[in-house]
Amino acid sequence: MTRIVHTQIAATANAFSAKQWTGAAILALSAAWAPAAIADVINFDNLDSQFVGHGDSLEFQHFVLTGASNAAGASYGDLVGAVFDGTDPAACGMACPTNNKSNYYASLNDGIIYLDPLKAGGSVSLQGFDASFIGYAQGVSYPAVAGLLRVQGFYANGSSIFETYQLGGPIGGNFQFQHFNTSSAFGSQQFASLAFFGFTCNTAGSCSAFSSNKGQFALDNIVASVPEPSTYAMMLLGLAGIGFVARRRQQA
């Protein structure tokens, strides 16, 4: 399994003098006091099979998934996805994965699926997921890399980073779910929102998105986390204590 990783990393080099120890200490202890996370595995087992239109949302304990179309002039309700029963691979009417015996989400017609924290103003981290390409028809020849799945994380200020994962072609005539882990650099980030969208690839290795209605993929067992709210107060108290000690040393 090959993963193409794109990240944006900013670094600053500083020479610390003795008087700058307080800033370094605050940064170090800020990391130590970073909020614990509530991790969930998002699956679709408790949902009925259903179609998802542009603007439709599926709510979970800590998260909300929203289907969206990238097409110009998209209207509310335009088909962008569905929840399918994995025990009946023929139910989707296309070349869907066959190795998942529970419900899963299918992103259709070049649809996008957004993952957001259920609580307004919250953040979300992504550690992994199961995914497969969905072919537009059975009995068609597909390349070894049938498509790409891009996961783009958006920060509150509008900037973003992304990772792209290769989705394999059929194995033994059928598409199969694979498990993917995000990189540590991506999985450690706190995003305001995450978007999943697909590319379709041809035999020449050229891949495109939002141009053919064939950038389709299946998604299940999303491992995501949100910060634990109760630990914020402890973190702020710890930082306040550090600041008090720093001021006392400066006054001495």
Side-chain angles (χ1 to χ4, degrees), residues 95 133-146 169-170 175 200-201 203:
F133 190 75
I134 295 178
Y136 64 92
Q138 291 281 3
V140 176
S141 178
Y142 294 95
V145 177
F175 286 101
T200 183
C201 301
T203 54

Side-chain angles (χ1 to χ4, degrees), residues 30-48:
S30 294
W33 282 92
I38 302 173
D40 279 352
V41 178
I42 303 170
N43 59 46
F44 305 89
D45 296 349
N46 294 325
L47 299 177
D48 294 330

Side-chain angles (χ1 to χ4, degrees), residues 12 63 236:
T12 302
F63 304 95
L236 293 174

Side-chain angles (χ1 to χ4, degrees), residues 15-23 249:
F16 287 95
S17 68
K19 292 183 179 179
Q20 292 173 310
W21 74 271
T22 53
R249 287 185 63 88

Side-chain angles (χ1 to χ4, degrees), residues 1-246:
M1 176 179 65
T2 304
R3 180 173 66 230
I4 307 168
V5 178
H6 303 261
T7 58
Q8 299 172 350
I9 301 173
T12 302
N14 290 310
F16 287 95
S17 68
K19 292 183 179 179
Q20 292 173 310
W21 74 271
T22 53
I26 289 173
L27 288 174
L29 287 176
S30 294
W33 282 92
I38 302 173
D40 279 352
V41 178
I42 303 170
N43 59 46
F44 305 89
D45 296 349
N46 294 325
L47 299 177
D48 294 330
S49 296
Q50 59 187 285
F51 289 106
V52 176
H54 175 61
D56 289 343
S57 294
L58 304 171
E59 289 192 3
F60 300 86
Q61 184 175 5
H62 298 109
F63 304 95
V64 58
L65 289 167
T66 304
S69 171
N70 191 59
S75 300
Y76 184 82
D78 287 353
L79 181 65
V80 294
V83 177
F84 286 135
D85 180 358
T87 63
D88 183 10
C92 78
M94 294 171 288
C96 288
T98 60
N99 64 332
N100 187 331
K101 302 306 179 184
S102 61
N103 289 359
Y104 61 87
Y105 182 83
S107 183
L108 307 174
N109 297 333
D110 288 345
I112 307 168
I113 184 73
Y114 287 96
L115 172 63
D116 297 290
L118 186 59
K119 183 179 179 181
S123 60
V124 56
S125 295
L126 179 69
Q127 286 72 51
F129 53 88
D130 295 342
S132 168
F133 190 75
I134 295 178
Y136 64 92
Q138 291 281 3
V140 176
S141 178
Y142 294 95
V145 177
L148 305 176
L149 175 58
R150 179 162 294 174
V151 184
Q152 188 163 0
F154 296 90
Y155 298 105
N157 65 2
S159 63
S160 67
I161 61 174
F162 62 86
E163 292 192 344
T164 307
Y165 304 85
Q166 294 182 349
L167 302 178
I171 299 174
N174 297 306
F175 286 101
Q176 305 286 320
F177 270 97
Q178 301 170 263
H179 181 74
F180 298 89
N181 293 318
T182 59
S183 69
S184 57
F186 192 92
S188 62
Q189 301 298 306
Q190 295 286 338
F191 297 111
S193 181
L194 285 156
F196 298 77
F197 56 95
F199 293 65
T200 183
C201 301
N202 60 29
T203 54
S206 176
C207 303
S208 61
F210 306 128
S211 61
S212 64
N213 282 344
K214 296 179 181 178
Q216 306 184 130
F217 60 92
L219 195 62
D220 200 6
N221 298 321
I222 305 166
V223 183
S225 57
V226 296
E228 170 58 70
S230 65
T231 60
Y232 277 116
M234 295 176 64
M235 179 181 69
L236 293 174
L237 285 172
L239 293 178
I242 296 168
F244 176 76
V245 172

